[in-house]
Amino acid sequence: MCRWLAYWGTPVLLDTILYKPEHSLIDQSLHSKLGVETTNGDGFGIGWYSPGNTTPALLRDVGPAWNNRNLRELADHVRSPLFFAHIRASTGTAVQQSNCHPFRHGRWMFMHNGAIDGFPLIRRELTLLVDPSLFPELEGTTDSEVMFHLALTYGLDRDPPAAVAEMAAVVERVGRAHGIEHPLQMTLAVTDGERVWTFRYSSAHASRSLFYSNRVDALRRLHPDIAFLRELSEESRLVVSEPLGDLPGAWSEVPESSYGVIQPGLDEMHRFAPAAA
Amino acid sequence: MCRWLAYWGTPVLLDTILYKPEHSLIDQSLHSKLGVETTNGDGFGIGWYSPGNTTPALLRDVGPAWNNRNLRELADHVRSPLFFAHIRASTGTAVQQSNCHPFRHGRWMFMHNGAIDGFPLIRRELTLLVDPSLFPELEGTTDSEVMFHLALTYGLDRDPPAAVAEMAAVVERVGRAHGIEHPLQMTLAVTDGERVWTFRYSSAHASRSLFYSNRVDALRRLHPDIAFLRELSEESRLVVSEPLGDLPGAWSEVPESSYGVIQPGLDEMHRFAPAAA
Amino acid sequence: MCRWLAYWGTPVLLDTILYKPEHSLIDQSLHSKLGVETTNGDGFGIGWYSPGNTTPALLRDVGPAWNNRNLRELADHVRSPLFFAHIRASTGTAVQQSNCHPFRHGRWMFMHNGAIDGFPLIRRELTLLVDPSLFPELEGTTDSEVMFHLALTYGLDRDPPAAVAEMAAVVERVGRAHGIEHPLQMTLAVTDGERVWTFRYSSAHASRSLFYSNRVDALRRLHPDIAFLRELSEESRLVVSEPLGDLPGAWSEVPESSYGVIQPGLDEMHRFAPAAA
Amino acid sequence: MCRWLAYWGTPVLLDTILYKPEHSLIDQSLHSKLGVETTNGDGFGIGWYSPGNTTPALLRDVGPAWNNRNLRELADHVRSPLFFAHIRASTGTAVQQSNCHPFRHGRWMFMHNGAIDGFPLIRRELTLLVDPSLFPELEGTTDSEVMFHLALTYGLDRDPPAAVAEMAAVVERVGRAHGIEHPLQMTLAVTDGERVWTFRYSSAHASRSLFYSNRVDALRRLHPDIAFLRELSEESRLVVSEPLGDLPGAWSEVPESSYGVIQPGLDEMHRFAPAAA
């Protein structure tokens, strides 16, 4: 499948998060520990928000992240308070820029790890459920892009958890109607540039791994010698497919069938249960 | 738009047709004379048949043809009795391998120059008309790929001219229902590996240029000094978006609203008129 | 050859300079008016300085600039007070990232339009003159990269005009020793992140075109209605291979055999004459 | 480092060797078992001979082999009696086509797994030892390309084992003069289109793995049920960085410090000892 990372907090150089950690996402592109595939070399993408522009910027390319010089350059020069990064392991669909995450719609970004089981079988039916006004935006062939546009169809910009739940319910309904026992497997992240919602869910309740970083103030007390932690606000937060290192106390697992909200003030964690449809 | 070339006849090294001519397709990628765009640098593709394999081989890439070393290599080493070559000028859709012609389905190949006017507006409706069993094959975002799969839907493998006519009629009907005056502009080529059908048509009856090479025996009498002509069978034939050079007597224009069949024995030319639907 | 653009002045969104003008560098990549080649589609590069980093960032890729989405994204999100942009038309050397301009060494950037005549013949001899400590930096096969490293060898970081003059003199001496009548053809730009030096020179005194933008205060008086000019400081300056549009009074030609210095305070223009060596 | 494969024998479809085996080279690009790196995704190349052309054809690209569609296409359509295939794991040098193996000079091909220790330190000195007439051919930045051109300098086309031995001796002499204890690590293959020479050697006598397939007639007796073996001539031979599967009796290890010659009639194996220089 894939690996991803979402950052929200004090503006940092992308390098600090993308390359510096011992088991960084770039390292995971070569040697994932918890993924279904150990290599995630079928394209990558980053998306970040800059001051004065509500639309995030995207850098996406079809080669592996680990040897991409443009990504390395940007990581050394771009600072951002909110960014997504994704490395892809294709399960057969074309390796092309339009299949690289994150996907974008206006100020919204979306990325995904997982799969819709039997997607070739139900791709047409799901695609037809995308709002016709959004149809022209579909450029690739991934289940993820369709999931994003279904969530947009169901009101992502009004109520993200409800829209994602409806998307998940629809995928499960259509999949089961085609005899697929466990249609959906997903960890996903969406953002409007202000808050980040992350979801961990699968029809079989055996979801891909997902972790969040613990509160920075608690980490600082545990590790007073780590300079980097002193630069971060207490609310800064990472959500990752797998931990970026072995720092004791740094990571907590996102519970099965739940979603989190990262936002100014207290973050939240809730149960995620797509309505049986 | 694009430029293309179809060759049928004595097996020749691709180089002979692709690079050697004075105004070759590779030269046209930099300096088209008759095209809407002078530069066709948004990807390219070749497809060729080899002995012992009814499925044609494809080489497609997203960069320009003129500087592609792999294409140059193949041209020096591959001989084929039937091949298509296409250079692309995108009108906005993604530059990705899955948008490069020729497209393939089993032993069939298809390539296109032109456009469906207002395609973003009617893409969804046309896509829905593609046979559901063919839907999983759609990998890109071009009008051309949809046109091919509509032709397949309408029986390309039974009666190519009828299937292409029905495709064209459907595109015109759907387009006009959305207020598009002249929905279709196309020169296209399809082959099953034995015969080649080429079409020149547009709703406005002002179609993109298309030429065919005249009979080799007539050319030999005109140009007894050209060694290359002596190597070709009398039936060898090229169809091209624009002539590959200025050889007097070499090229004839395909008439407006017509299609040709290149085949063993006499080739044919017929009127092409999509049924008003 | 190539086309390039150097900007120095009020921090602007790259888009303002790269895409917005009527005959922008991106448009020149498809349709150069004054270049030897009309198409510059063999790779591109931009290099820009960001606050807090004396090393410029580079984005370089091997496809054409006109269809590159990552360039389009950066142009919409990156602001910079000093950047270089370059589009390449290869004259045979490999189309690879390491042959794309600008080249970089520490805080220095360099880009070039032109050629060393007979470069394959004298490449080895010129390469040997590069300081051995700089040799490991050579990654590509262009004359431009060798010219940059010769200029570095001859003290670019102490006295740019003198170092470039010595480089040019050496190229001419080595070329002439091999029977090349007019060894050098160049317009080039170098910067240390604070000042920009641009050169127009050729052994035959028939150099490629080069233009600079006239003083912003004079342009404002001529065109009080152009909002963009009001945003720029009076000292902002562009140097370009060909004008970005037809604004009357906007552009002056850099004189043959001269170099300019763009810097805080008054810019300068001087005669450029490589010492006969 | 890298993985490679050389085939000599009955003309076969590339697919048979490249994709079909259980632990094929394509599988090794994702999951090498014996390599220093488990992932070999920094470019790939194949080179093959076709009837009527003494110059081999090359297909090389900068992405991973495992997801490359053009490689997949060629493998299904090209038959050859002699081909090389190589997958690359860069140790820092640029990922560009000109750094992909095999390298070619006229009818000669060359590929390498290993490294010159301290290459950045001695690259200049080694490059200067390349015959000046060959210098213009250098397009990349790998130690491998320099090794090939040194071997050409020392008479590869007259006596391949002697030329490779001299190259190795020179690399060791220059390396040791710079204080490098074990300058050379290599398994390499060269061919002139008729014979194939393979070498396993390292200054520390701890060389990368290399295996050859045992005689086809012996394998047939062991595995009378394997259809593929019945199609091959008795002299057909594979040399590989690591075995393509677990077929008992199929593979023998090339001894440390030796070279083999694959040729019509009896193949040979000899000791390889670069002269102390």
Side-chain angles (χ1 to χ4, degrees):
Chain A
M1 308 294 156
C2 311
R3 305 278 85 183
W4 59 253
L5 169 163
Y7 176 82
W8 186 102
T10 308
V12 291
L13 206 56
L14 303 187
D15 173 60
T16 311
I17 305 295
L18 284 184
Y19 287 86
K20 282 272 169 59
E22 170 196 350
H23 187 50
S24 69
L25 196 73
I26 304 305
D27 183 56
Q28 292 174 31
S29 70
L30 273 167
H31 309 290
S32 163
K33 293 174 181 171
L34 303 181
V36 176
E37 287 86 15
T38 57
T39 306
N40 293 276
D42 298 323
F44 71 89
I46 53 169
W48 71 96
Y49 293 86
S50 314
N53 195 332
T54 57
T55 303
L58 298 181
L59 179 86
R60 304 191 294 177
D61 215 334
V62 296
W66 70 75
N67 68 29
N68 193 282
R69 293 190 171 188
N70 290 327
L71 178 60
R72 179 67 261 187
E73 291 284 320
L74 285 190
D76 280 340
H77 288 83
V78 169
R79 254 169 219 287
S80 175
L82 200 177
F83 59 91
F84 280 11
H86 187 278
I87 52 177
R88 185 167 181 245
S90 166
T91 48
T93 46
V95 176
Q96 56 191 25
Q97 206 173 20
S98 60
N99 284 349
C100 292
H101 309 222
F103 300 99
R104 178 179 62 192
H105 175 80
R107 67 202 164 104
W108 289 86
M109 282 204 298
F110 173 100
M111 63 184 170
H112 170 231
N113 170 32
I116 295 178
D117 191 23
F119 182 61
L121 198 64
I122 62 175
R123 179 181 162 208
R124 183 175 184 274
E125 190 164 340
L126 292 177
T127 302
L128 298 197
L129 295 170
V130 169
D131 190 284
S133 72
L134 295 170
F135 194 91
E137 287 190 13
L138 295 172
E139 285 203 300
T141 50
T142 59
D143 48 8
S144 310
E145 190 188 23
V146 172
M147 289 165 67
F148 179 36
H149 287 84
L150 286 173
L152 287 165
T153 298
Y154 300 134
L156 186 67
D157 60 353
R158 293 187 308 273
D159 183 344
V164 170
E166 186 165 353
M167 175 275 285
V170 164
V171 169
E172 292 191 324
R173 175 172 54 78
V174 173
R176 283 175 183 145
H178 285 77
I180 298 159
E181 188 181 0
H182 298 306
L184 188 57
Q185 172 62 264
M186 72 180 202
T187 67
L188 59 84
V190 288
T191 179
D192 61 356
E194 296 179 359
R195 290 189 287 174
V196 175
W197 294 262
T198 60
F199 301 81
R200 184 176 183 219
Y201 177 76
S202 57
S203 308
H205 304 297
S207 300
R208 299 273 182 271
S209 61
L210 195 65
F211 297 84
Y212 61 93
S213 62
N214 292 321
R215 275 189 67 87
V216 170
D217 41 1
L219 280 171
R220 270 190 216 133
R221 282 191 299 272
L222 279 170
H223 305 283
D225 49 321
I226 298 183
F228 168 57
L229 292 172
R230 290 194 293 269
E231 296 168 27
L232 293 183
S233 70
E234 297 186 354
E235 294 192 45
S236 294
R237 185 82 76 184
L238 271 165
V239 183
V240 296
S241 295
E242 51 189 90
L244 307 186
D246 301 325
L247 194 67
W251 304 99
S252 296
E253 192 169 12
V254 174
E256 179 66 50
S257 303
S258 66
Y259 74 91
V261 193
I262 308 169
Q263 55 193 351
L266 282 186
D267 293 345
E268 298 171 24
M269 181 81 77
H270 300 280
R271 187 160 170 269
F272 180 77
Chain B
M1 309 291 156
C2 309
R3 307 277 83 184
W4 59 253
L5 167 164
Y7 176 82
W8 186 103
T10 308
V12 290
L13 207 56
L14 302 188
D15 173 60
T16 312
I17 305 295
L18 284 185
Y19 288 86
K20 282 273 171 59
E22 171 197 348
H23 186 50
S24 71
L25 196 73
I26 304 306
D27 183 57
Q28 292 174 32
S29 70
L30 273 167
H31 309 289
S32 163
K33 292 173 181 172
L34 304 181
V36 175
E37 287 86 15
T38 57
T39 306
N40 293 276
D42 298 322
F44 70 89
I46 54 169
W48 71 96
Y49 293 87
S50 314
N53 195 333
T54 58
T55 304
L58 297 182
L59 179 86
R60 302 190 296 177
D61 215 333
V62 296
W66 69 75
N67 67 29
N68 193 281
R69 292 189 172 188
N70 290 327
L71 178 60
R72 179 68 262 187
E73 291 285 318
L74 285 190
D76 280 341
H77 288 84
V78 169
R79 254 168 218 287
S80 175
L82 200 176
F83 59 91
F84 280 9
H86 187 277
I87 52 178
R88 186 167 180 244
S90 166
T91 49
T93 46
V95 175
Q96 56 191 25
Q97 206 173 21
S98 60
N99 283 349
C100 292
H101 310 222
F103 299 100
R104 178 178 63 191
H105 175 80
R107 66 200 165 104
W108 289 86
M109 283 204 297
F110 174 100
M111 63 183 169
H112 169 231
N113 170 32
I116 294 177
D117 192 23
F119 183 61
L121 198 65
I122 62 175
R123 179 181 161 208
R124 183 174 184 272
E125 190 164 341
L126 292 177
T127 302
L128 299 197
L129 295 171
V130 169
D131 190 284
S133 71
L134 296 169
F135 193 90
E137 287 190 12
L138 295 173
E139 285 202 300
T141 51
T142 58
D143 47 8
S144 309
E145 190 188 24
V146 173
M147 288 165 68
F148 179 36
H149 287 84
L150 285 174
L152 287 165
T153 298
Y154 300 134
L156 187 68
D157 61 351
R158 293 187 309 273
D159 184 344
V164 170
E166 187 165 352
M167 175 274 286
V170 164
V171 169
E172 292 191 324
R173 174 172 55 78
V174 173
R176 284 174 182 145
H178 284 77
I180 298 159
E181 188 181 0
H182 298 305
L184 188 56
Q185 171 63 263
M186 71 179 204
T187 67
L188 60 83
V190 289
T191 180
D192 61 357
E194 297 180 356
R195 290 188 288 173
V196 175
W197 294 262
T198 61
F199 301 80
R200 183 177 183 218
Y201 177 75
S202 57
S203 308
H205 304 298
S207 301
R208 299 272 182 271
S209 61
L210 195 65
F211 297 83
Y212 61 93
S213 62
N214 291 320
R215 275 189 67 89
V216 169
D217 41 0
L219 279 171
R220 269 190 217 135
R221 281 190 301 272
L222 279 170
H223 305 283
D225 49 322
I226 298 182
F228 168 58
L229 292 172
R230 289 194 295 269
E231 295 168 27
L232 293 183
S233 70
E234 296 184 355
E235 293 192 45
S236 294
R237 184 81 75 183
L238 271 165
V239 182
V240 296
S241 295
E242 50 189 271
L244 307 186
D246 300 325
L247 193 68
W251 304 100
S252 296
E253 192 170 11
V254 173
E256 179 65 51
S257 302
S258 67
Y259 74 92
V261 192
I262 308 170
Q263 56 193 351
L266 283 185
D267 293 344
E268 297 172 25
M269 180 80 76
H270 300 279
R271 189 163 168 266
F272 180 77
Chain C
M1 308 295 155
C2 311
R3 306 278 85 185
W4 59 253
L5 167 163
Y7 176 82
W8 186 103
T10 308
V12 291
L13 209 55
L14 302 188
D15 173 60
T16 312
I17 305 293
L18 283 185
Y19 287 87
K20 282 273 169 59
E22 172 197 347
H23 186 50
S24 71
L25 197 72
I26 305 305
D27 183 56
Q28 293 174 30
S29 71
L30 274 168
H31 309 290
S32 162
K33 292 173 182 171
L34 303 181
V36 175
E37 287 85 16
T38 57
T39 307
N40 294 277
D42 298 322
F44 71 89
I46 53 168
W48 71 95
Y49 293 87
S50 313
N53 196 332
T54 57
T55 303
L58 297 181
L59 179 87
R60 303 190 296 177
D61 215 333
V62 297
W66 70 74
N67 67 30
N68 192 281
R69 293 188 172 191
N70 290 328
L71 178 60
R72 178 68 261 186
E73 291 285 320
L74 285 191
D76 280 341
H77 288 84
V78 170
R79 254 169 220 287
S80 176
L82 200 176
F83 59 91
F84 280 10
H86 187 277
I87 52 177
R88 185 166 181 245
S90 165
T91 48
T93 47
V95 176
Q96 57 192 23
Q97 207 173 20
S98 60
N99 283 349
C100 292
H101 310 221
F103 299 100
R104 178 179 61 191
H105 175 80
R107 67 201 165 105
W108 289 86
M109 281 204 298
F110 173 100
M111 64 183 168
H112 169 231
N113 170 30
I116 294 178
D117 191 24
F119 182 61
L121 197 64
I122 62 175
R123 180 182 161 207
R124 183 174 183 273
E125 189 165 341
L126 292 177
T127 302
L128 299 198
L129 295 171
V130 170
D131 190 284
S133 70
L134 296 169
F135 193 91
E137 287 190 13
L138 295 172
E139 284 203 300
T141 51
T142 58
D143 47 9
S144 310
E145 190 188 23
V146 173
M147 287 164 68
F148 179 35
H149 286 84
L150 285 174
L152 287 165
T153 298
Y154 300 135
L156 187 68
D157 61 352
R158 293 187 309 273
D159 183 344
V164 170
E166 185 165 353
M167 174 274 285
V170 163
V171 169
E172 293 191 324
R173 174 171 56 77
V174 172
R176 283 174 183 145
H178 284 76
I180 298 160
E181 187 181 0
H182 298 306
L184 188 56
Q185 171 63 263
M186 72 179 203
T187 67
L188 59 83
V190 288
T191 180
D192 61 358
E194 296 180 359
R195 290 188 287 173
V196 175
W197 293 262
T198 60
F199 300 80
R200 184 177 183 218
Y201 177 76
S202 58
S203 308
H205 305 297
S207 300
R208 300 270 183 271
S209 61
L210 194 66
F211 297 83
Y212 61 93
S213 62
N214 292 320
R215 276 190 66 88
V216 169
D217 42 0
L219 280 171
R220 272 190 215 132
R221 283 192 299 272
L222 279 170
H223 305 283
D225 48 322
I226 297 182
F228 168 56
L229 292 173
R230 289 195 295 268
E231 295 169 28
L232 293 183
S233 71
E234 297 185 355
E235 294 192 45
S236 293
R237 184 81 75 183
L238 271 165
V239 182
V240 296
S241 295
E242 50 189 270
L244 307 186
D246 300 324
L247 193 67
W251 304 99
S252 296
E253 192 169 11
V254 173
E256 178 66 50
S257 302
S258 67
Y259 74 92
V261 192
I262 308 170
Q263 56 192 350
L266 283 186
D267 293 345
E268 298 171 24
M269 181 81 76
H270 300 280
R271 188 161 170 269
F272 180 77
Chain D
M1 309 293 157
C2 311
R3 305 278 85 184
W4 58 253
L5 167 164
Y7 176 82
W8 186 103
T10 307
V12 290
L13 207 55
L14 303 187
D15 173 60
T16 312
I17 305 294
L18 284 185
Y19 288 87
K20 283 272 170 60
E22 172 196 345
H23 186 50
S24 71
L25 196 73
I26 304 305
D27 183 55
Q28 293 174 30
S29 70
L30 273 167
H31 310 290
S32 162
K33 292 173 182 173
L34 303 181
V36 176
E37 287 85 15
T38 56
T39 307
N40 293 276
D42 298 322
F44 70 89
I46 52 168
W48 71 96
Y49 293 87
S50 314
N53 196 332
T54 57
T55 303
L58 297 181
L59 179 87
R60 303 191 294 177
D61 216 333
V62 296
W66 70 74
N67 68 29
N68 192 281
R69 293 190 172 188
N70 290 328
L71 178 60
R72 180 69 260 184
E73 290 284 320
L74 285 190
D76 280 341
H77 288 84
V78 169
R79 254 169 218 286
S80 176
L82 200 176
F83 58 91
F84 281 10
H86 187 278
I87 52 178
R88 187 168 178 243
S90 166
T91 49
T93 46
V95 176
Q96 56 192 24
Q97 207 174 19
S98 60
N99 284 349
C100 292
H101 310 222
F103 299 100
R104 178 179 62 191
H105 174 80
R107 67 203 164 103
W108 289 85
M109 282 204 298
F110 173 101
M111 64 183 168
H112 170 232
N113 170 32
I116 294 178
D117 191 23
F119 183 61
L121 197 65
I122 62 175
R123 179 181 161 209
R124 183 173 183 273
E125 189 164 341
L126 292 176
T127 303
L128 298 198
L129 295 170
V130 170
D131 190 285
S133 70
L134 296 168
F135 193 90
E137 287 190 13
L138 295 173
E139 285 202 302
T141 50
T142 58
D143 47 8
S144 310
E145 190 189 22
V146 173
M147 289 164 68
F148 179 35
H149 286 84
L150 285 174
L152 287 165
T153 298
Y154 300 135
L156 187 68
D157 61 352
R158 292 187 309 273
D159 184 343
V164 170
E166 186 165 352
M167 174 275 286
V170 163
V171 169
E172 293 191 325
R173 174 171 55 78
V174 172
R176 283 173 183 148
H178 285 77
I180 297 159
E181 187 181 0
H182 298 306
L184 188 57
Q185 172 62 262
M186 72 180 204
T187 66
L188 59 84
V190 288
T191 179
D192 60 357
E194 297 181 357
R195 291 189 286 173
V196 175
W197 293 263
T198 61
F199 301 80
R200 184 177 183 218
Y201 177 76
S202 57
S203 308
H205 304 298
S207 301
R208 300 270 182 273
S209 62
L210 194 66
F211 297 83
Y212 61 93
S213 62
N214 291 320
R215 275 190 66 88
V216 170
D217 42 1
L219 280 171
R220 270 191 216 133
R221 282 191 300 271
L222 279 170
H223 305 284
D225 49 321
I226 298 183
F228 168 57
L229 291 172
R230 290 194 294 270
E231 295 168 28
L232 292 183
S233 71
E234 298 184 356
E235 293 192 46
S236 294
R237 185 82 74 182
L238 270 166
V239 183
V240 296
S241 295
E242 51 189 271
L244 307 186
D246 301 324
L247 194 67
W251 304 99
S252 296
E253 191 169 13
V254 173
E256 177 66 51
S257 303
S258 66
Y259 73 91
V261 192
I262 308 169
Q263 57 193 348
L266 283 186
D267 292 346
E268 299 171 24
M269 182 80 78
H270 300 279
R271 189 161 168 267
F272 180 76

